Amino acid sequence: MIKAIFFCAFDNLQGPKVLHQVPADSIAPSPRSTQIPLLHFPSASQYIIPRPEFCSKLITFCTPTHRVLSHPVCLQSTSYPRNAYTFSIALVLDVSTPFASYATVTFKLASLLRTLEESSRFLSGDLSAPNTGKIYALCEILLEDLNNYCESMIPIDDSNTLNIKLFPTYPPPPPLYPYHVPLSTVRLDNLTDPNWDLTMLRVLPHINGINSVKQISLLADSDYKLVRKAIEHLLYYGCLLLLDIFSFSAMYAPTAELATFVEDMEMQEECARYVALPIEASGDGSKRHPIDGFHMLELYLSLKQGQTVRNFYIEHSEKMDKIDARRFITFGVIKGFLYRVHKYAIATSQIPRRKRNHNTKVRQKKSSSLAVEGRDDETDADLMELERFLDGTHCFDEICTELMISEQELTMRLKAIGDVQVICR
């Protein structure tokens, strides 16, 4: 939120001077005012109206409670006294307010005022008293519009209009890896436009909470780097969540956040609606089996570390007959009271490689021998490719996605190596 906007210029007799300020007396109070200013202008004036070499640059500085953003402009011309006119319009924010979007506003204001001054002496020709006139009105409308609506459109004259919009600043998205599964939190179809990026339009139909980022790039027949960039864009604006690849061989365990689910009856009812399987007789799938919230709580409390989803489903098959197992796990992960127990492989010794005499291989002429030799080469290549993942820092999801194999095949390869320890954490 903007605390104040003020316009100041270099006066030939008094030096840097505040000409207009909104709210009144917020920067340079009048002698009769009892209001405490947001900052001490005489000590800060050297940063707001600096030397010419520091003009045309964004300048920001902080007091213990506020941050000031300014973009001073110095125009050189013989028509001005001292052959120069220096001015600045500045914004005052709370010191803790993210200021990236406000920096853009400050730059745009300075650029517009510079253009107006060069074309019509809009600033230097204004002889209005302080806190009156068109410049003061501009600051007043701008402060009210940006604080209330985050945008402003102010007609300046017949040929100039100020259009400014404050775009929200979000934290950077979490790291995105090929094995992550994006799940939409909004209806992406309602946001699409034919003019959107082509890669984005090809990616959206495959975001369903099941396909990983690598699978989406293959299904969309698009370059992985472009697909990753499109998904990161949706993550930045909060349109997606990231999940793990769901499989019945995966393991999940409850966290301390499960206590929130125990106490929140509305969350239990929401969970029951989300995980219930549709009634086949309804045709369109709009009707779902009724499930009690306490029933869901009992199932979540039964999850434990070291137990796969397959074993859990077999053990509670009667209670899970009307529940979608994937949604059951996904809901807990989204709400934060379930976490994935990942598997990591560590090679306890160096992987042995097959030794062969190259002269002997050249002399082999039988096709069967060549076929066996080709399979040996392929096996050694697979082992060498797998070896770089056996340092305990790569989970099974990542290995399977990179090598494009199933977890069952990965387990078989690890058994073939022998000296590999699998850790669950």
Side-chain angles (χ1 to χ4, degrees):
M1 182 176 179
I2 302 175
K3 293 296 184 180
I5 297 179
F6 63 96
F7 174 81
C8 56
F10 186 86
D11 186 271
N12 296 321
L13 299 177
Q14 303 178 27
K17 181 180 180 180
V18 177
L19 300 178
H20 306 286
Q21 52 188 320
V22 181
D25 299 329
S26 58
I27 305 299
S30 61
R32 297 181 180 180
S33 176
T34 58
Q35 182 176 343
I36 300 176
L38 299 178
L39 59 96
H40 187 250
F41 181 76
S43 60
S45 60
Q46 59 180 325
Y47 306 110
I48 300 173
I49 302 292
R51 293 180 295 177
E53 52 264 31
F54 291 102
C55 292
S56 300
K57 296 178 176 64
L58 177 67
I59 296 179
T60 174
F61 62 92
C62 296
T63 67
T65 56
H66 296 91
R67 180 187 300 272
V68 179
L69 299 176
S70 67
H71 197 284
V73 177
C74 181
L75 298 177
Q76 306 284 343
S77 175
T78 56
S79 61
Y80 296 120
R82 297 190 179 185
N83 297 326
Y85 178 69
T86 306
F87 68 89
S88 178
I89 187 166
L91 309 182
V92 182
L93 314 172
D94 281 329
V95 70
S96 59
T97 302
F99 65 94
S101 57
Y102 293 98
T104 306
V105 170
T106 307
F107 172 76
K108 191 167 185 179
L109 283 173
S111 299
L112 175 66
L113 294 179
R114 179 182 187 131
T115 302
L116 292 173
E117 174 63 20
E118 290 175 338
S119 61
S120 62
R121 294 293 189 267
F122 179 81
L123 303 176
S124 60
D126 183 22
L127 303 178
S128 303
N131 297 334
T132 61
K134 50 191 177 183
I135 301 177
Y136 174 77
L138 174 66
C139 297
E140 191 175 31
I141 297 173
L142 194 63
L143 177 68
E144 182 178 355
D145 286 356
L146 291 181
N147 282 341
N148 294 329
Y149 311 110
C150 295
E151 60 182 359
S152 181
M153 185 181 71
I154 306 173
I156 305 297
D157 51 32
D158 294 338
S159 56
N160 292 283
T161 301
L162 175 63
N163 289 284
I164 285 183
K165 183 177 179 65
L166 274 177
F167 292 94
T169 302
Y170 300 103
L176 184 65
Y177 298 106
Y179 57 89
H180 278 150
V181 177
L183 174 67
S184 62
T185 58
V186 296
R187 293 188 177 274
L188 297 174
D189 294 340
N190 297 338
L191 301 177
T192 56
D193 185 273
N195 298 320
W196 272 27
D197 178 72
L198 294 178
T199 303
M200 182 72 77
L201 294 176
R202 301 183 72 170
V203 163
L204 293 182
H206 304 292
I207 298 178
N208 55 7
I210 300 175
N211 297 325
S212 65
V213 178
K214 185 70 172 288
Q215 289 174 321
I216 291 174
S217 67
L218 296 175
L219 293 172
D221 193 19
S222 302
D223 182 70
Y224 168 74
K225 293 182 180 179
L226 297 178
V227 171
R228 178 178 176 176
K229 190 173 183 180
I231 294 178
E232 284 179 339
H233 189 78
L234 295 174
L235 276 173
Y236 177 77
Y237 287 103
C239 299
L240 299 177
L241 292 174
L242 293 181
L243 304 174
D244 299 302
I245 298 175
F246 175 80
S247 67
F248 281 92
S249 60
M251 292 182 289
Y252 294 85
T255 68
E257 296 296 326
L258 187 60
T260 305
F261 184 75
V262 174
E263 299 172 356
D264 195 336
M265 299 299 295
E266 292 184 1
M267 187 185 296
Q268 294 178 20
E269 294 175 0
E270 179 188 359
C271 176
R273 292 192 301 269
Y274 180 75
V275 305
L277 290 171
I279 300 175
E280 296 180 359
S282 62
D284 58 353
S286 58
K287 295 182 180 180
R288 296 182 178 272
H289 291 283
I291 299 177
D292 183 37
F294 181 78
H295 178 69
M296 301 306 307
L297 175 60
E298 185 179 9
L299 287 173
Y300 280 121
L301 290 172
S302 301
L303 284 169
K304 55 187 177 182
Q305 196 171 27
Q307 183 183 42
T308 64
V309 177
R310 180 185 295 106
N311 294 336
F312 172 82
Y313 189 87
I314 294 173
E315 184 179 344
H316 301 85
S317 57
E318 295 183 0
K319 297 179 180 180
M320 294 285 292
D321 61 341
K322 297 179 181 178
I323 295 176
D324 187 324
R326 182 182 63 83
R327 288 191 167 211
F328 172 78
I329 296 296
T330 299
F331 185 88
V333 174
I334 292 174
K335 296 299 183 180
F337 58 82
L338 283 187
Y339 74 95
R340 171 76 181 275
V341 181
H342 284 285
K343 297 179 182 178
Y344 298 85
I346 301 178
T348 56
S349 62
Q350 187 175 3
I351 299 176
R353 292 186 176 86
R354 188 182 303 274
K355 298 181 179 180
R356 46 176 94 76
N357 189 329
H358 292 279
N359 294 328
T360 304
K361 290 196 298 180
V362 172
R363 289 194 297 268
Q364 290 177 340
K365 298 181 179 180
K366 294 183 179 180
S367 59
S368 58
S369 299
L370 292 176
V372 172
E373 194 174 303
R375 286 196 297 271
D376 290 341
D377 291 340
E378 183 178 355
T379 302
D380 282 354
D382 292 340
L383 292 178
M384 293 177 62
E385 190 176 19
L386 180 59
E387 184 179 6
R388 62 189 177 96
F389 295 105
L390 304 183
D391 57 357
T393 62
H394 305 277
C395 64
F396 272 30
D397 284 356
E398 179 182 357
I399 300 173
C400 292
T401 303
E402 291 292 338
L403 302 182
M404 299 295 290
I405 59 176
S406 64
E407 185 173 337
Q408 182 180 5
E409 185 176 351
L410 173 61
T411 304
M412 293 176 60
R413 291 190 185 183
L414 295 177
K415 289 181 178 179
I417 295 174
D419 296 333
V420 176
Q421 185 177 1
V422 177
I423 299 175
C424 300
R425 58 182 176 91

